[in-house]
């Protein structure tokens, strides 16, 4: 089974994804960009243990569908992962 990667672009969209609890696999940031909004995104990525890659503008342009990425593109998980505790709780609920 193959899952398509879903990307979100732009500083506000990526920040909102972190705030809403979306599972983000990786964040791509324009190399050398260190302004306030980007630093906030980097802090959120660190808190959520999300990998961050600093890439050249050409790479972001290639990834971007809208070409309005504002120096930030995030790749969302195709599905949410469960913890081992979630699996045990579900098994217990099913009487397994």
């Amino acid at each position: 089974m193959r899952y398509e990667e879903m990307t979100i672009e732009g500083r506000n969209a990526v920040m909102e994804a972190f705030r809403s609890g979306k599972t983000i696999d990786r964040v791509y940031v324009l190399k050398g960009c260190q302004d306030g909004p980007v630093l906030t995104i980097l802090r959120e990525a660190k808190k959520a243990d999300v990998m961050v890659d600093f890439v050249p503008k050409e790479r972001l342009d290639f990834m971007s569908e809208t070409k309005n990425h504002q120096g930030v593109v995030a790749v969302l998980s195709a599905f949410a992962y469960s913890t081992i505790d979630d699996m045990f709780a579900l098994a217990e609920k099913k009487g397994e």
Side-chain angles (χ1 to χ4, degrees), residues 2 7 9-10 13 17-18 20 29-30 36 40 47 53 55 66 93:
R2 183 172 172 226
T7 60
E9 308 171 21
F18 276 115
S20 69
V29 177
L30 180 64
T40 301
K47 280 197 292 190
D53 288 328
V55 297
T66 66
K93 182 178 175 182

Side-chain angles (χ1 to χ4, degrees), residues 43-60:
R43 275 194 305 275
E44 291 298 319
K46 186 174 183 173
K47 280 197 292 190
D49 201 26
V50 172
M51 296 286 298
V52 176
D53 288 328
F54 294 93
V55 297
K57 183 180 183 304
E58 294 77 26
R59 174 94 185 267
L60 291 174

Side-chain angles (χ1 to χ4, degrees), residues 2-34:
R2 183 172 172 226
Y3 294 96
E4 292 293 321
E5 285 186 337
M6 182 175 165
T7 60
I8 50 176
E9 308 171 21
R11 297 168 181 200
N12 291 333
V14 172
M15 197 61 226
E16 185 56 36
F18 276 115
R19 286 187 182 128
S20 69
K22 297 229 184 281
T23 305
I24 298 174
D25 283 338
R26 188 174 296 257
V27 175
Y28 296 89
V29 177
L30 180 64
K31 191 180 289 187
C33 189
Q34 296 288 312

Side-chain angles (χ1 to χ4, degrees), residues 70-83:
Q70 300 172 321
V72 182
V73 174
V75 178
L76 300 178
S77 292
F79 53 90
Y81 295 95
S82 296
T83 66

